[in-house]
Amino acid sequence: MTDAPSRGTNPWADIVGTIYTADAFLRELRLTPAEVDEAARDLHILQLETADGHHVYPTFQVVNGHLIPGLSEVLDTLQRGIDDPWTWAQWLCTYVDGALGSHRARRRHIDALVAGDVAAVARAARAAADSWAS
C-alpha cells in the first residue's frame, strides 16, 4: 500500500473509491494511532479492514481535513442492522434517486451527508438497518 490516498485493483475500489492508508489518515486528520483506534471503536470514523489485515479509510469521510458531520450518527445506526463496515461503505456510496432531503437529483448517501442533509441520511440509515436486521 502506498502512503497517499490510493485506489487498488480490488473491485471494492469501484464502490468505495479512494482510500487513505493508516499513516496517510493519521496525517490528514492530525490524530495519533490511539485516537484513530478510539474513533473507529466509537464509530466516529469508518475504518475498513483489508483481507490481509490492514486498516484503510475511505477518503469520502474527510472534507477539507475534517470528518463530515453526521457520519458517526449514521454509522451507529447502520451497525444496528449489520455489523459490517464494508456493507456500511457500500451503502454510503449507493446512489439514490431523489430520496434524500429536498434535492431530487440522483446522489450518494455520502454526498447528502457532505451537503448537510444529516437528518435525511439518518432516516435512510434507520430504514436500511431495520431491513438488514429483519
Side-chain angles (χ1 to χ4, degrees):
M1 296 193 124
T2 63
D3 211 23
S6 63
R7 191 169 184 153
T9 57
N10 187 311
W12 277 100
D14 290 333
I15 296 167
V16 176
T18 57
I19 57 160
Y20 290 110
T21 63
D23 288 340
F25 192 69
L26 293 171
R27 278 195 312 276
E28 180 68 21
L29 293 176
R30 296 180 183 94
L31 298 172
T32 66
E35 290 170 326
V36 168
D37 289 344
E38 181 179 348
R41 187 175 47 255
D42 295 343
L43 299 179
H44 294 295
I45 61 171
L46 180 56
Q47 178 185 68
L48 304 173
E49 187 170 344
T50 63
D52 58 356
H54 289 94
H55 289 142
V56 294
Y57 307 86
T59 59
F60 63 64
Q61 65 189 318
V62 178
V63 175
N64 297 324
H66 299 284
L67 292 169
I68 56 171
L71 180 64
S72 180
E73 176 185 350
V74 169
L75 294 177
D76 183 62
T77 300
L78 292 173
Q79 184 187 39
R80 294 176 194 169
I82 189 169
D83 192 10
D84 180 22
W86 285 99
T87 299
W88 309 337
Q90 181 178 13
W91 184 86
L92 286 163
C93 292
T94 298
Y95 281 91
V96 291
D97 292 319
L100 296 172
S102 60
H103 300 282
R104 294 293 172 217
R106 186 170 193 255
R107 64 181 178 168
R108 303 176 306 164
H109 292 104
I110 195 66
D111 297 329
L113 268 183
V114 170
D117 291 342
V118 176
V121 178
R123 279 191 306 275
R126 280 190 295 279
D130 289 347
S131 173
W132 295 337
S134 62

